[in-house]
Amino acid sequence: MSDTSPACFCLPNHPPSFATVSPILKPVFFALAGILCLASDATAQISASPAAMDAAVKTLQTYCYDCHTGKEAEGGVRVDFLSKPDSLEDNIEVVEKILRVLAEQQMPPADAEQIAGADRVALSTWIEARLQDFDCGSVSRPGRVTMRRLNRTEYDNTIRDLTGLDLRLANDFPSDDVGNGFDNIGDVLTLPPILMEKYLASAQAVAEAVMANPQASSRVFPFAPGNPDDLSEALDVAQKNVGAFASRAFRRPVAPSELARLTELMRSAWEAGASKAESLQAAVTVILTSPHFIYRVEDDQASESIDGIRELNDYELASRLSYFLWSSMPDERLLQLAGAGELHTSQQLVAEARRMLADPKSQSLIDNFIGQWLQLRDLETLSPDPKQFPEFDQELRVSMRRETELLFRNILDENRSIIDLLNADYSFINQRLADHYGVEGIVGDEFQRVNLKGKRSGVLMHASVLLITSNPTRTSPVKRGKWVLENLLGEPPPPPPPNVPELNATGETLGTLRQQMEQHRADPNCAVCHTKMDALGFGLENFDVVGKWREVDGRDKIDPSGSLPGNRQFGSPVDLVQILAEDKKQEFCRCMTRKMLTYALGRGLGVQDRCTVNAIVSQMSEKNYQAATLVEAIVTSSPFTTQETGR
């Protein structure tokens, strides 16, 4: 996330894409969301004593300084900054990597003198203590979030829930940009001129559809018309109708000044000869092109803040809840609770989150969060080689994605552990997918829960993920290993070093794929990342490009065995997944927490969010990693319930 001032589309320093925006959208509406980084009992600070620091620095000097200091530090990783005070903020990722390789005993390398067990523990404890002091110290720098435009999915869902008409007009909008892995990030949701034209055309289309549909019209305009011959009475009823619609569209009570302008618009239209229906249609169009509809506007009143941080009001919290869990506007219950001031305590937020997760509209959380986090949306654009995989078709593609979505749906509905995503020995398949997996006894298009114990475990063995992480003609252990590191463990490998040739780029025959990768790793620059990444990928080699089980690749028998850091040996894909589920619970939970918090806030996370993430992970571990705990912890967290005023 950027810590610079948010782009302002009505001031001289606005981005070029806003230069020709219609005057109706030129008022300044910037909302800044922040965090009070508060330490919980579970993340109590650890004191890093001078003696501990001296011992830790001595260990670093003895075992690490020869290779990891100065401009020529191996792998670009320097450790000497740890001996300096106030040096962590610009090196958080490096610190996390240092802790990881110490815990997994990847460093020092096997051919170097090893750190004694007690010294390794002491060094890790001291570094953790410094991180803890940094994360949850008394001085915190709240984050900021750019005001968010509704993305295409949110726009369509909001129109649907506002009018009762499922028009899907946003399909004609330009694609939303993606930031931090999601398409609901405020910093990248710009407003190009072409989109302004689409908004106006869509608003007019919605207004026309509402007036042409009696059911939609009665929903949008709940007050019955008065005496048609009495202009004053008719205008009064029209004002009530427009006021009710604007309040729902803006997700908060319409201001008297706003209602006065809308009323004057209708009066002027009537006096100019427009019919009452045409006047109402014009008012709807204006409301749907207002920045208060197109954007999720949050207030920025410094007078309500304490030290520059204010609590969001109930209407703002209602919108945060609804767009997080439903990708749509608040329903009547949320708006009623907000109006009564009954939506700002932790108990109230948790109660509503539970209700909303049980609502069918929470399918949007699965479609949009899981679909982007696990990259399931990419399935639509992937086409395995039809000659090698003639069985692959659109029906199978859809079934693949549905299986993964249903697993997460089940975890939410039954409040199961999120670790089931890693090692669930059950899944949901229909006949098409059962035939693909070689599972007998499943008939029909309906998805059924089946026990796959000993055969497949978790999403890593879902055909959806296996296809996403393959090339069109062959599997890719590197892609699969990299996908696990990035999306499940939160350990993205660095970009490959320059001038390293592609695998088999020379066209020479290098043996089996495993042998080719071993030769690739012979380059020391490659070995650092590939040792762990390749082990993860080769552990899944029994599954081909489209996720079918196989024993051989061509003429070569597949060897899925391998070793992970800590000398954890595995001999099959199921063994590999079980090791991840046992040894990497915290890493997986932290990764998923960061992903979901990013999605919920609509902004990338910064170093100032680490304390919140740590607190949520601690809560999760105390409650067996239950899915509901993650959602509830997010909606009651400081980043979700407070914002920086920016004043």
Side-chain angles (χ1 to χ4, degrees):
M1 110 181 215
S2 172
D3 287 316
T4 59
S5 298
C8 180
F9 57 85
C10 69
L11 296 180
N13 63 345
H14 60 69
S17 61
F18 292 104
T20 59
V21 168
S22 167
I24 196 170
L25 286 180
K26 284 200 173 183
V28 181
F29 299 102
F30 280 111
L32 308 171
I35 164 179
L36 286 173
C37 199
L38 305 176
S40 68
D41 292 340
T43 55
Q45 295 181 33
I46 307 168
S47 174
S49 67
M53 178 175 179
D54 290 343
V57 171
K58 183 178 180 180
T59 300
L60 290 170
Q61 290 173 336
T62 302
Y63 297 98
C64 309
Y65 272 29
D66 284 349
C67 299
H68 294 288
T69 56
K71 296 181 179 180
E72 303 301 321
E74 288 192 16
V77 177
R78 297 181 59 171
V79 301
D80 46 332
F81 70 87
L82 285 168
S83 64
K84 304 173 184 176
D86 303 323
S87 62
L88 293 194
E89 181 168 351
D90 296 329
N91 298 282
I92 290 296
E93 291 184 1
V94 176
V95 174
E96 291 179 331
K97 184 174 184 178
I98 291 171
L99 283 171
R100 189 158 59 242
V101 299
L102 284 172
E104 296 178 346
Q105 299 185 30
Q106 295 184 58
M107 288 290 168
D111 58 354
E113 182 182 0
Q114 297 299 300
I115 305 174
D119 291 340
R120 184 184 293 271
V121 171
L123 176 59
S124 297
T125 301
W126 176 74
I127 296 174
E128 286 278 10
R130 291 201 58 191
L131 265 183
Q132 187 70 12
D133 288 338
F134 174 80
D135 287 341
C136 305
S138 59
V139 178
S140 63
R141 180 172 56 80
R144 297 174 64 136
V145 61
T146 302
M147 184 182 70
R148 290 214 283 121
R149 168 175 68 75
L150 301 183
N151 65 22
R152 296 198 302 176
T153 297
E154 293 168 339
Y155 182 93
D156 275 338
N157 289 350
T158 301
I159 292 293
R160 177 201 65 201
D161 294 338
L162 183 62
T163 67
L165 299 173
D166 196 10
L167 301 175
R168 298 292 149 186
L169 297 168
N171 289 337
D172 196 37
F173 292 179
S175 297
D176 296 311
D177 289 330
V178 174
N180 303 102
F182 299 101
D183 63 4
N184 67 341
I185 304 299
D187 283 340
V188 302
L189 287 171
T190 56
L191 188 61
I194 184 63
L195 184 53
M196 275 305 309
E197 296 175 11
K198 298 293 185 181
Y199 278 143
L200 179 58
S202 294
Q204 292 171 335
V206 172
E208 291 172 2
V210 166
M211 301 309 296
N213 186 307
Q215 186 175 359
S217 184
S218 62
R219 176 178 182 143
V220 170
F221 306 125
F223 299 100
N227 184 351
D229 298 324
D230 187 330
L231 180 62
S232 177
E233 183 179 342
L235 187 62
D236 181 60
V237 173
Q239 183 183 54
K240 290 180 180 178
N241 278 320
V242 168
F245 180 70
S247 293
R248 293 180 63 234
F250 296 167
R251 284 87 68 180
R252 45 87 176 157
V254 63
S257 59
E258 294 169 326
L259 185 55
R261 289 195 294 272
L262 290 168
T263 304
E264 184 58 32
L265 168 70
M266 290 187 294
R267 180 192 297 276
S268 299
W270 288 357
E271 292 175 348
S275 68
K276 294 180 176 62
E278 290 172 333
S279 299
L280 287 172
Q281 187 172 315
V284 170
T285 301
V286 169
I287 289 168
L288 296 182
T289 51
S290 165
H292 290 280
F293 172 74
I294 294 171
Y295 283 85
R296 288 173 47 192
V297 179
E298 294 174 350
D299 204 353
D300 195 19
Q301 297 297 318
S303 60
E304 300 177 4
S305 68
I306 299 176
D307 295 330
I309 305 296
R310 76 170 183 91
E311 296 181 352
L312 297 178
N313 65 47
D314 289 47
Y315 286 103
E316 293 164 340
L317 289 171
S319 282
R320 287 205 173 190
L321 277 173
S322 64
Y323 283 100
F324 169 30
L325 299 177
W326 289 346
S327 296
S328 186
M329 63 178 287
D331 64 356
E332 282 301 315
R333 176 174 172 80
L334 284 174
L335 293 175
Q336 288 172 1
L337 290 173
E342 297 177 354
L343 195 61
H344 56 276
T345 69
S346 294
Q347 293 84 355
Q348 293 163 346
L349 292 169
V350 166
E352 285 309 296
R354 290 174 178 172
R355 175 184 72 86
M356 296 170 72
L357 285 175
D359 190 284
K361 286 194 289 188
S362 66
Q363 181 63 33
S364 289
L365 178 65
I366 297 168
D367 294 342
N368 301 316
F369 171 64
I370 293 295
Q372 294 183 84
W373 169 35
L374 300 184
Q375 300 173 0
L376 299 182
R377 288 185 178 182
D378 292 350
L379 284 170
E380 289 302 315
T381 61
L382 297 179
S383 299
D385 187 296
K387 293 182 179 180
Q388 293 189 47
F389 308 100
E391 72 275 22
F392 182 82
D393 56 19
Q394 182 62 19
E395 182 184 356
L396 184 57
R397 187 200 308 270
V398 172
S399 297
M400 287 176 174
R401 176 168 180 169
R402 189 67 180 142
E403 177 191 19
T404 306
E405 292 173 341
L406 284 173
L407 176 61
F408 187 70
R409 174 84 264 173
N410 183 74
I411 291 170
L412 275 181
D413 290 346
E414 297 184 3
N415 195 19
R416 299 178 66 89
S417 168
I418 63 170
I419 307 303
D420 276 12
L421 285 169
L422 287 181
N423 69 346
D425 58 8
Y426 63 93
S427 192
F428 298 84
I429 59 178
N430 60 2
Q431 184 176 351
R432 183 73 174 84
L433 205 53
D435 292 343
H436 188 66
Y437 285 171
V439 176
E440 299 179 351
I442 305 297
V443 178
D445 295 332
E446 294 296 319
F447 281 78
Q448 305 172 40
R449 177 168 173 159
V450 296
N451 189 325
L452 297 175
K453 190 171 184 179
K455 300 177 181 178
R456 294 178 186 251
S457 295
V459 297
L460 275 178
M461 299 184 207
H462 283 193
S464 59
V465 171
L466 294 164
L467 174 57
I468 288 167
T469 54
S470 295
N471 294 320
T473 59
R474 64 173 176 84
T475 59
S476 173
V478 173
K479 277 188 178 180
R480 288 178 175 176
K482 184 173 182 285
W483 190 92
V484 174
L485 291 175
E486 288 182 337
N487 296 288
L488 301 185
L489 303 182
E491 303 174 13
N499 303 320
V500 175
E502 291 285 336
L503 181 64
N504 203 15
T506 62
E508 298 175 1
T509 301
L510 303 175
T512 67
L513 185 58
R514 182 180 282 269
Q515 290 169 340
Q516 292 179 45
M517 291 307 304
E518 287 173 353
Q519 294 180 45
H520 191 66
R521 288 197 303 272
D523 185 326
N525 291 316
C526 301
V528 175
C529 297
H530 276 279
T531 299
K532 183 176 182 181
M533 189 161 55
D534 293 356
L536 292 167
F538 277 113
L540 300 171
E541 268 294 277
N542 279 120
F543 301 101
D544 70 8
V545 169
V546 293
K548 291 186 71 171
W549 179 266
R550 61 182 183 172
E551 297 287 346
V552 296
D553 180 11
R555 293 174 297 178
D556 302 314
K557 182 175 176 58
I558 289 172
D559 175 12
S561 65
S563 175
L564 292 177
N567 198 30
R568 293 284 272 155
Q569 306 289 327
F570 59 88
S572 71
V574 173
D575 292 344
L576 167 63
V577 167
Q578 196 56 40
I579 290 174
L580 293 177
E582 292 173 359
D583 294 2
K584 295 294 184 177
K585 284 183 180 179
Q586 289 279 308
E587 289 86 346
F588 174 69
C589 181
R590 183 178 304 279
C591 180
M592 185 172 178
T593 297
R594 290 183 61 86
K595 296 288 186 179
M596 188 174 282
L597 184 60
T598 298
Y599 177 81
L601 297 176
R603 66 166 173 85
L605 303 187
V607 293
Q608 72 279 354
D609 297 302
R610 288 175 50 84
C611 183
T612 295
V613 172
N614 290 343
I616 293 174
V617 172
S618 293
Q619 292 177 53
M620 294 283 289
S621 62
E622 291 170 3
K623 296 186 178 180
N624 195 32
Y625 303 97
Q626 291 175 315
T629 302
L630 174 56
V631 173
E632 292 165 10
I634 286 175
V635 302
T636 56
S637 67
S638 294
F640 195 87
T641 60
T642 65
Q643 76 167 2
E644 183 182 4
T645 63
R647 305 277 179 87

